[in-house]
Amino acid sequence: MEKLSIEDMAVFCKRKGFAYPNSEIYGGISGFWDFGHLGVELKNNIKREWWKFHVNDREDIVGMDGSIITHPRVWEASGHVESFEDVMLTCSKCKERIRADHFIEDKLKISVEGLDSKEIDKLVNKNKLKCPKCGSSFEDIKDFNLMFKTNVGPREDKTSVSYLRPETAQLIFVDFKLVVENARLKLPFGIAQIGKAFRNEISPRDFLFRSREFEQMEIEYFVHPDQTDKCPYVKEVMSKELNFYTEEMQQKNKKPIRMKVKDALNKKLVSEWHAYWLATEQKWFTDLGANPDNFRIRQHLKKEKSHYALDTWDLEYNFPFGWKELQGFSNRTDFDLKQHIKFSGKDLSIFDEETKKKIVPHVVAEPSLGVERAFLVFMFDAYTYDKKRGNVVLRLHPRLAPMTVAVFPLVSNKPQIVKKAKEVRDGLKKYFNVFYDQGGSIGRRYARQDEIGTTLCITVDFDSVEGSDVTIRERDTTKQVRVKIKDICHKIWEYMEGAQFEKLGKKIR
Ligand code: GAP
C-alpha cells in the first residue's frame, strides 16, 4: 500500500477524534494542536509506557516534574537566550517570514544544516531565490530566537521577562542536587521528565511533527567524568541490529549500513553509551509495534551540533516527508551543570566515595523524544487499509490502543441482551478503557472499532444470557473465541501480556 501522506494522516486524525487544529472555530492558530477523545488516550498510553519502561522498571533512573516557567537566568546559563535561533528570511513586499533552512532545502534539495545567516544569505542571492508567496526578493535575513517570552507578575517591563521552557532538560540540571540527595542516587544514574515545551517555530509544519507547543520525554543520564566511554549495560544490546549512518558515511555520500551493535563498536563507529541508548530506544518503539525497517540512526555533522553537544546522534524515522529526527541523543558533557554552577554560584558537584573527591558528572547521552512525534510513528505504522474488510484497521499495540475493548449487544431491541451487555461493560470498565456500542449492524460496529484501533470486541448474544459466555473477536485477525463472562477480565490481561488469542477460549472462527 502506498504510504499515507502527512496531510491524509491529519485528516484521518481529525475525522476519528485523535487530533484537531487548535481553535479552529476562530480560524485556527498555526503550530498548535488539540487532542480529541481518542488522541488523549493514545498520548496518555504512550507517556505511561515510556515512564514505566524508563523509570518504574529500572533501578538507575528516577523521575521529576519541573515547572514550565523558571528563573530567566536558567536560559542565560543554558545558552538558549544567546543561541537558540533559526535563520529567518523576510519578504521585501508582502513581509512574509519564512524559516530559511527549510525553504532552501525544499527549493534546492540540498542540506543547509548548521549554516549561519551569512552563508544562507549567499545561497539565497546566488540562486536568486524569491518569496514563495508573492515572488519578490527578500529584504532581510536575521537570526530569530525561538523562545516564547512572557512577563511574570504585574510589571510588564524587562525586569519581569521570563520564558516558556523550550526544553524540559534544564529543570533536571537546576534541580540536580536536590534529586540526587533525596533519591540517594549513585553514578551512573538518570533523571527523567515528561512535560510541555514551547518553541516559537518560524514555520511550523507537517501536522504534529513541528509545532509550537509540544511535549517532551527526556532523560539526562549522568556518569562519572572518568567513565564516559564504558557503559555497564552495553552487553544487553550487542546483538541488536541498527541502521547506522555516521558522519563519515554522509560526507562520502554513502548509504546507511545495517549492522549489529557489536560490529559497530568494534569498528569504533559509535560510543558504548550512544550505542546502548540508541538500541534501547529503538527497542522501546519496536516492542510497542513500530516497524524496525522505518528506523535508522544518524550522527550529526560537526556544523549541525547544538552549542552544548560533543557528539549527537538522532534516531530517525522514515516519515512520508522523508527521514527525520524522531529522538535526539546528545552527549552534553558537563556543560550544563558547569554553566549553572557558574551562573548561580552554587555547588552542584557530588562527592565520589571511591576517589574521595568532588566531581561534576557528565551527561553522556540525553535521550530526548517528542510525544507527538512518537504519536505519529505509532499511527503511521499501525494504519492499514484492509481491502477484504473494506475499512481501515489501526493495528496499534494493545497497550497503546485508546480503547482496549468494545462491548456490543448483538441486538438492541432485546432488553435482557442489552442488560447483560451493560453488565459486562461495567465489569470491565474498572480495569480497561471500554467502548459500548449498540447502534447499527455488527459488521458496521466491528469496522468502527477497527478504524480506531480497539484491540478486542465482545458480543453479547442470546446464548450469553442463558449460557454466561460471550464472543470475543480479535481486531488484527478477525478470529473469534467463546469465553465465560466470569473469565473475560483475566483473559484480556493474559492477551495484553502476550498470550495467543486462540488460547483464550473455544475457537469459533
Ligand atoms: N533537550 C534536548 C532537546 O530539546 P531537540 O532535538 O531540540 O533536543 C528533542 O528536541 C526532541 O523534541 C526532538 O527529537 C523531537 O522529538 C521533539 N521536538 C523538538 N522540536 C519539536 C517541535 N517543534 N514540535 C514537535 N516536537 C519537537
Side-chain angles (χ1 to χ4, degrees):
M1 194 188 81
E2 223 179 76
K3 216 168 188 166
L4 206 66
S5 71
I6 190 76
E7 292 79 17
D8 290 341
M9 179 55 83
V11 170
F12 177 78
C13 283
K14 185 176 171 193
R15 187 161 57 83
K16 289 287 159 191
F18 282 93
Y20 320 119
N22 168 267
S23 58
E24 208 183 13
I25 58 167
Y26 290 97
I29 171 166
S30 177
F32 297 90
W33 299 91
D34 296 338
F35 290 83
H37 72 296
L38 298 176
V40 66
E41 298 292 345
L42 174 55
K43 225 173 150 204
N44 285 344
N45 291 347
I46 292 171
K47 288 189 276 183
R48 193 197 53 238
E49 286 298 319
W50 188 90
W51 195 261
K52 187 164 174 347
F53 182 86
H54 294 93
V55 181
N56 302 143
D57 289 355
R58 294 183 67 121
E59 290 295 306
D60 57 339
I61 300 185
V62 297
M64 63 156 285
D65 186 17
S67 73
I68 284 169
I69 295 176
T70 184
H71 197 292
R73 291 276 284 167
V74 168
W75 306 112
E76 285 169 33
S78 68
H80 283 81
V81 171
E82 202 182 303
S83 326
F84 196 54
E85 294 170 335
D86 282 331
V87 181
M88 182 172 75
L89 291 163
T90 307
C91 172
S92 56
K93 197 167 168 205
C94 72
K95 306 295 172 201
E96 173 81 351
R97 290 169 172 204
I98 48 180
R99 185 168 156 175
D101 55 350
H102 288 167
F103 172 64
I104 294 172
E105 277 167 18
D106 286 350
K107 282 274 169 206
L108 306 179
K109 306 285 173 238
I110 53 165
S111 167
V112 293
E113 198 82 63
L115 295 194
D116 64 23
S117 49
K118 274 194 193 130
E119 292 164 307
I120 295 225
D121 200 21
K122 263 194 208 154
L123 270 176
V124 170
N125 290 328
K126 190 174 150 208
N127 293 284
K128 299 190 173 56
L129 296 179
K130 301 278 184 257
C131 170
K133 208 170 165 195
C134 73
S136 307
S137 51
F138 295 106
E139 64 173 10
D140 192 19
I141 178 155
K142 65 173 188 185
D143 293 326
F144 176 77
N145 192 295
L146 300 185
M147 280 200 296
F148 276 104
K149 270 191 194 145
T150 187
N151 291 89
V152 176
R155 284 175 71 147
E156 287 197 4
D157 57 27
K158 61 179 191 238
T159 62
S160 64
V161 166
S162 195
Y163 306 93
L164 304 193
R165 64 183 181 195
E167 61 169 10
T168 61
Q170 288 310 316
L171 283 298
I172 298 178
F173 298 118
V174 172
D175 289 344
F176 172 77
K177 201 66 186 274
L178 285 169
V179 179
V180 172
E181 284 171 7
N182 295 155
R184 299 170 61 222
L185 296 171
K186 296 273 170 288
L187 290 169
F189 62 77
I191 304 177
Q193 187 175 194
I194 299 181
K196 290 266 185 184
F198 301 82
R199 295 183 186 177
N200 197 6
E201 298 282 353
I202 301 167
S203 337
R205 61 180 188 175
D206 295 322
F207 185 33
L208 303 172
F209 180 81
R210 187 173 306 287
S211 48
R212 289 177 166 142
E213 175 176 339
F214 55 98
E215 276 187 273
Q216 287 186 318
M217 307 189 278
E218 294 198 294
I219 300 169
E220 299 305 321
Y221 202 85
F222 297 95
V223 307
H224 192 290
D226 298 341
Q227 281 154 23
T228 52
D229 53 354
K230 280 277 157 251
C231 167
Y233 312 117
V234 79
K235 277 200 191 84
E236 291 171 24
V237 299
M238 281 297 194
S239 60
K240 295 260 177 288
E241 262 199 6
L242 298 172
N243 203 2
F244 285 84
Y245 201 21
T246 62
E247 182 175 18
E248 196 187 330
M249 291 172 192
Q250 294 164 65
Q251 279 161 346
K252 293 189 174 160
N253 275 330
K254 288 190 177 158
K255 291 212 153 45
I257 301 175
R258 188 168 287 281
M259 68 179 111
K260 290 210 165 114
V261 165
K262 95 167 166 243
D263 298 328
L265 286 171
N266 283 339
K267 291 186 176 154
K268 300 204 180 324
L269 297 185
V270 65
S271 74
E272 284 193 6
W273 279 109
H274 264 121
Y276 169 72
W277 276 112
L278 286 157
T280 301
E281 294 308 285
Q282 180 167 324
K283 177 179 173 350
W284 180 75
F285 274 102
T286 52
D287 282 356
L288 286 170
N291 177 356
D293 296 341
N294 285 332
F295 290 81
R296 75 177 186 191
I297 59 167
R298 187 181 73 81
Q299 188 175 27
H300 277 206
L301 303 173
K302 256 174 216 82
K303 58 187 182 183
E304 74 180 285
K305 277 188 297 207
S306 304
H307 59 276
Y308 48 72
L310 181 70
D311 184 18
T312 300
W313 285 74
D314 286 341
L315 179 61
E316 292 192 334
Y317 178 80
N318 191 9
F319 285 97
F321 43 92
W323 287 97
K324 297 281 172 204
E325 173 183 348
L326 169 61
Q327 182 170 14
F329 301 73
S330 286
N331 177 341
R332 295 180 82 126
T333 67
D334 54 5
F335 174 85
D336 301 270
L337 285 179
K338 284 214 168 133
Q339 283 293 98
H340 289 300
I341 292 171
K342 189 167 138 197
F343 277 69
S344 70
K346 299 286 184 309
D347 179 13
L348 300 180
S349 61
I350 58 177
F351 189 71
D352 177 34
E353 292 292 344
E354 223 170 273
T355 55
K356 306 286 179 216
K357 278 188 188 151
K358 280 184 160 187
I359 52 158
V360 177
H362 278 229
V363 168
V364 266
E366 178 206 38
S368 174
L369 171 63
V371 177
E372 291 78 1
R373 290 195 190 176
F375 183 104
L376 286 177
V377 165
F378 291 123
M379 288 294 280
F380 275 115
D381 281 350
Y383 186 101
T384 19
Y385 183 78
D386 188 314
K387 272 195 192 145
K388 212 164 139 206
R389 291 187 223 183
N391 59 262
V392 169
V393 182
L394 201 57
R395 295 172 190 271
L396 287 168
H397 190 282
R399 292 205 301 273
L400 295 181
M403 294 290 149
T404 309
V405 202
V407 178
F408 315 143
L410 182 65
V411 287
S412 57
N413 58 357
K414 294 281 178 241
Q416 68 276 38
I417 293 184
V418 170
K419 184 167 169 270
K420 192 57 137 194
K422 287 187 175 166
E423 276 169 27
V424 170
R425 173 199 63 189
D426 294 342
L428 293 174
K429 251 185 176 303
K430 286 183 209 133
Y431 310 102
F432 307 105
N433 276 352
V434 185
F435 193 93
Y436 177 82
D437 189 1
Q438 60 178 51
S441 71
I442 277 288
R444 191 61 220 125
R445 282 183 267 172
Y446 281 149
R448 277 203 289 262
Q449 296 309 312
D450 285 348
E451 291 197 332
I452 62 170
T454 307
T455 315
L456 300 167
C457 290
I458 295 178
T459 306
V460 175
D461 53 26
F462 294 97
D463 290 345
S464 313
V465 178
E466 278 153 29
S468 308
D469 54 3
V470 292
T471 299
I472 306 187
R473 171 200 184 256
E474 189 184 39
R475 174 198 65 205
D476 293 348
T477 60
T478 75
K479 283 180 184 161
Q480 299 185 0
V481 291
R482 203 72 188 164
V483 176
K484 287 261 170 272
I485 292 175
K486 67 174 176 46
D487 296 334
I488 312 175
C489 229
H490 79 253
K491 294 286 178 190
I492 297 175
W493 277 125
E494 281 172 26
Y495 182 73
M496 303 274 283
E497 291 300 312
Q500 245 189 319
F501 180 73
E502 286 96 325
K503 303 243 165 86
L504 299 188
K506 201 166 147 239
K507 195 173 167 197
I508 53 170
R509 251 183 74 178

